[in-house]
Amino acid sequence: MTKQEALFEFLLRKADDSLILGHRLSEWCGHGPILEEDIALTNISLDLIGQATELYKYAAEVEDKGRTEDDLAFLRIEREYKNVLLVEQLNGDFGKTIVRQFFFDHFEHLLYEGLMNSKDERISAIATKTIKEVKYHLRHSSEWIIRLGDGTEESHDRVQASVKDLSRFINELFYQDEVEEILIKEGIIPDVKEFRVAFENNIEKILEEATLKLPEEKWQLTGGRKGVHSEHLGYLLAELQYMQRTYPGMEW
Amino acid sequence: MEKDNLEALDKNFQDKVDREIKIEPKDYMPDAYRKTLIRQISQHAHSEIVGQLPEANWVTRAPNLRRKAVLLAKIQDEAGHGLYLYSAVETLGADREDTIDDLHSGKAKYSSIFNYPTLTWADMGMVGWLVDGAAIMNQVPLCRCSYGPYARAMVRVCKEESFHQRQGFEIVTQLARGTQVQKEMAQESLNRWWWPSLMMFGPNDAESTHTAQSMAWKIKRNTNDELRQMFVDATVPQAELIGLKIPDKDLKFNEETGHYDFGEIDWDEFWQVVKGYGPCNDERVAARKKAKEDGMWVREAANVYAEKRARRNKKVS
């Protein structure tokens, strides 16, 4: 694998994470539990779609095969999407959406801090812009974890169940293969293994304040980075791609 | 004595209105003025919130990244408008949640236009171009409304609505310049949205129960028919520019008046939708009720947590 191929693959992985999670959050639009949260969730969705756009643009340039950011976002088949499984999980109740966001935000925060120092100027510029958004997302999801965890008995039980359900996708956030190994050597991306402990400390501190616990059993699922997804992704893509598939080659 | 006093207050109030002095929340205002404003502003707020739904229907199917982001940003603006309008209602002593309950029970109305379904992507263009375009016609005069908080909220709302109208027109223009399939999609959508958009201005002046009083109070500055005419005059040349046909066989420019003459609105359809029997009335209210019910545990948790925190802070200090 060349450095260029590795860079393309990495950008695709991260762009897909942002697009798919942004899409999921956009499903909340008009249905939030309170007007302020309707606005907050669509705002985060908007940030994520903006990040995805920047990453796809750069990926398209790196690939240099004449594809655009929209071709990459809308015209691949299911096995070609490389997002982690966590982001494609169904919204569930508001608490589940928040738990999904909470795990993701804490990972993104550490990753993008590292990416700000990337030797690749474009990635470092994207990271510098993105980190500001991620800090806000992180504060939003962490505060809600505490509120829901330490709120009523019902909210505690609901959000605890979601923590249990979604924690099996945490490990995959730290997935690395040849792609990352090449880019770490080149100084383009940080080695996420180095901040695994920080990640766990950060989330456990907040979970403790929220009177919540990560489950004892450590069964973990992976596959997303290789394009092997859950059953949920196909339906998401059917909606996402509807216009591009139904009316091929048209400008909108 | 008391009656004389009230008369003096009412006279003083009307005098301020006549001299274009804004009425502020703590100023004296007649009960009927307050009630009219609560009704109008809360229904306006509900329209923004219910109005999210027909557009949210296409967010997950937007055709490219840019359109998806713009559509999301636009819907977020609408939710923001709802937020400041509910705040404006609260300055009149009404409770936001009570007004929302009135929406859910069917007591409070919202703009009937949102009871029409969004069936194709072209509808996202029509909602921006026609629906937001009609809303601007209604709302620009409200920036000069006699009630200060409402007038000020409308200044910001109108700025954003004018962006929305342009993005809608941009979507439609792109379709009108596109392939045959896209042109047909745009025309078919215009055929469905044109008449409901004209209905957004309400009944004819002769039938409008609130207009005269609202105009005397300077809540309203133009009659329904005046605003409708302004909308037709502004919109017909835009349709011509991009080669779409307004679905009205009676539409014709009148050299004498300098305005477009247009056909008769189907008032049976208008009243049917107002009374709750439009294509999506039930679905829209059900979606809002469901959001409130599903979110109940979240709001309860937030309240309980806030109380716990307040107690803990008290102990510490």
Side-chain angles (χ1 to χ4, degrees):
Chain A
M1 181 178 273
T2 65
K3 179 185 147 191
Q4 184 203 11
E5 284 165 348
L7 182 56
F8 174 71
E9 186 66 20
F10 173 76
L11 289 166
L12 217 48
R13 289 175 179 185
K14 287 315 298 168
D16 288 346
D17 283 351
S18 294
L19 176 69
I20 301 301
L21 187 57
H23 183 103
R24 277 283 182 242
L25 289 176
S26 79
E27 294 170 358
W28 273 103
C29 188
H31 307 282
I34 184 168
L35 191 48
E36 286 80 350
E37 278 311 302
D38 209 304
I39 295 173
L41 294 177
T42 33
N43 202 3
I44 297 167
S45 168
L46 205 49
D47 287 343
L48 288 164
I49 288 163
Q51 291 162 17
T53 305
E54 289 308 308
L55 293 163
Y56 284 131
K57 269 188 195 161
Y58 188 31
E61 287 170 34
V62 170
E63 187 192 37
D64 198 22
K65 285 184 182 162
R67 287 205 277 186
T68 66
E69 65 270 26
D70 283 323
D71 294 338
L72 291 174
F74 292 89
L75 291 173
R76 284 174 293 146
I77 56 170
E78 189 175 339
R79 285 292 314 274
E80 292 169 336
Y81 282 81
K82 301 297 172 60
N83 56 280
V84 288
L85 299 174
L86 176 69
V87 297
E88 71 201 42
Q89 298 309 304
L90 299 177
N91 284 338
D93 64 14
F94 177 75
K96 188 168 175 187
T97 293
I98 289 293
V99 172
R100 186 181 64 198
Q101 197 66 37
F102 172 70
F103 291 150
F104 186 74
D105 293 341
H106 275 273
F107 176 79
E108 292 287 275
H109 183 233
L110 294 166
L111 176 69
Y112 276 98
E113 265 188 351
L115 289 174
M116 282 166 71
N117 300 318
S118 172
K119 282 190 181 157
D120 182 306
E121 279 179 19
R122 184 77 170 267
I123 289 185
S124 141
I126 292 172
T128 305
K129 182 170 179 283
T130 302
I131 194 80
K132 291 179 197 143
E133 296 168 350
V134 173
K135 278 183 179 165
Y136 159 73
H137 303 168
L138 180 77
R139 213 177 90 192
H140 176 260
S141 59
S142 299
E143 283 175 359
W144 270 109
I145 287 287
I146 295 168
R147 247 180 238 133
L148 297 176
D150 193 19
T152 62
E153 199 181 326
E154 182 187 2
S155 70
H156 175 275
D157 293 351
R158 278 178 183 251
V159 80
Q160 179 63 66
S162 295
V163 166
K164 181 167 183 286
D165 178 26
L166 293 174
S167 61
R168 57 198 167 125
F169 301 109
I170 288 177
N171 221 11
E172 197 193 16
L173 293 167
F174 292 87
Y175 176 89
Q176 289 187 330
D177 60 19
E178 197 190 356
V179 170
E180 281 79 10
E181 280 157 21
I182 292 170
L183 299 176
I184 291 167
K185 263 191 212 129
E186 295 282 343
I188 292 174
I189 65 168
D191 184 349
V192 294
K193 283 199 294 292
E194 286 170 9
F195 55 70
R196 177 84 199 229
V197 174
F199 170 86
E200 280 173 8
N201 288 342
N202 292 348
I203 63 167
E204 273 171 20
K205 198 174 135 231
I206 290 161
L207 290 175
E208 195 188 315
E209 193 181 341
T211 72
L212 298 167
K213 273 196 196 114
L214 283 172
E216 295 295 327
E217 63 269 32
K218 297 284 183 195
W219 287 107
Q220 293 287 324
L221 292 170
T222 55
R225 292 296 189 222
K226 290 285 180 198
V228 181
H229 291 278
S230 60
E231 288 179 347
H232 305 305
L233 187 69
Y235 292 96
L236 186 155
L237 294 179
E239 277 190 40
L240 178 79
Q241 300 186 340
Y242 164 70
M243 291 292 291
Q244 290 287 343
R245 297 293 185 197
T246 310
Y247 306 99
M250 295 185 202
E251 297 287 325
W252 302 95
Chain B
M1 174 64 197
E2 207 170 76
K3 191 169 165 272
D4 290 349
N5 228 338
L6 207 57
E7 270 174 19
L9 284 168
D10 281 347
K11 192 174 168 297
N12 183 35
F13 164 83
Q14 188 61 49
D15 188 49
K16 274 167 83 178
V17 169
D18 292 342
R19 287 188 293 137
E20 301 288 340
I21 297 171
K22 292 273 179 266
I23 307 300
E24 297 298 334
K26 287 184 177 157
D27 295 348
Y28 170 80
M29 62 187 86
D31 267 354
Y33 176 83
R34 186 186 299 275
K35 276 191 191 134
T36 298
L37 278 171
I38 291 175
R39 179 180 55 82
Q40 182 172 335
I41 304 173
S42 66
Q43 296 190 2
H44 191 166
H46 301 331
S47 300
E48 300 283 358
I49 301 309
V50 176
Q52 289 183 272
L53 299 170
E55 292 183 293
N57 187 39
W58 277 88
V59 161
T60 57
R61 289 175 293 171
N64 59 39
L65 291 164
R66 177 169 169 265
R67 291 291 180 206
K68 200 176 181 70
V70 171
L71 185 59
L72 259 176
K74 173 186 191 296
I75 303 172
Q76 200 191 19
D77 282 349
E78 313 287 5
H81 297 171
L83 211 51
Y84 9 110
L85 288 165
Y86 283 125
S87 304
V89 177
E90 290 190 323
T91 65
L92 291 158
D95 180 72
R96 168 169 145 185
E97 291 307 315
D98 290 345
T99 68
I100 291 173
D101 288 340
D102 286 344
L103 167 70
H104 295 174
S105 72
K107 192 178 150 203
K109 301 279 182 230
Y110 52 89
S111 180
S112 271
I113 194 75
F114 302 119
N115 291 318
Y116 289 86
T118 53
L119 304 178
T120 68
W121 171 252
D123 291 7
M124 293 304 98
M126 293 304 156
V127 169
W129 175 34
L130 302 178
V131 174
D132 292 329
I136 292 169
M137 289 293 168
N138 269 326
Q139 291 171 3
V140 166
L142 287 174
C143 300
R144 293 187 296 126
C145 159
S146 59
Y147 188 57
Y150 193 27
R152 289 187 290 272
M154 291 321 295
V155 172
R156 182 160 167 196
V157 168
C158 283
K159 278 185 194 157
E160 293 180 348
E161 290 297 351
S162 116
F163 273 113
H164 300 170
Q165 196 264 351
R166 272 183 278 168
Q167 71 86 33
F169 190 60
E170 196 206 327
I171 291 176
V172 179
T173 305
Q174 181 82 39
L175 296 176
R177 288 184 187 147
T179 62
Q180 192 56 33
V181 173
Q182 287 173 305
K183 282 180 193 149
E184 282 165 16
M185 188 192 280
Q187 184 62 55
E188 185 278 331
S189 176
L190 175 60
N191 294 349
R192 276 184 290 115
W193 287 93
W194 175 253
W195 290 104
S197 300
L198 293 192
M199 292 177 200
M200 284 177 70
F201 298 94
N204 285 137
D205 294 347
E207 312 290 323
S208 175
T209 42
H210 302 296
T211 297
Q213 181 61 75
S214 283
M215 287 184 70
W217 280 332
K218 299 199 177 176
I219 294 173
K220 212 170 160 162
R221 298 273 178 171
N222 304 87
T223 70
N224 295 352
D225 287 330
E226 283 167 15
L227 291 165
R228 188 163 18 238
Q229 186 67 56
M230 283 160 69
F231 175 74
V232 172
D233 289 346
T235 311
V236 172
Q238 293 170 349
E240 281 171 2
L241 184 73
I242 55 174
L244 292 181
K245 194 172 165 0
I246 302 282
D248 178 358
K249 61 178 174 31
D250 299 319
L251 185 78
K252 199 170 166 252
F253 189 72
N254 184 327
E255 297 286 349
E256 229 166 87
T257 60
H259 295 289
Y260 284 91
D261 294 335
F262 54 94
E264 186 66 13
I265 287 170
D266 179 349
W267 294 110
D268 288 341
E269 177 182 326
F270 173 83
W271 289 113
Q272 181 181 328
V273 183
V274 169
K275 291 191 170 139
Y277 304 105
C280 301
N281 295 57
D282 290 348
E283 287 81 352
R284 299 298 186 231
V285 174
R288 292 310 311 159
K289 272 192 193 162
K290 184 173 187 300
K292 182 157 185 175
E293 282 159 17
D294 289 353
M296 194 74 84
W297 70 275
V298 176
R299 295 189 301 276
E300 275 170 13
N303 288 337
V304 168
Y305 176 74
E307 282 163 22
K308 279 187 193 174
R309 207 170 61 167
R311 270 202 307 276
R312 284 176 203 147
N313 287 347
K314 220 175 177 182
K315 262 187 208 161
V316 173
S317 65

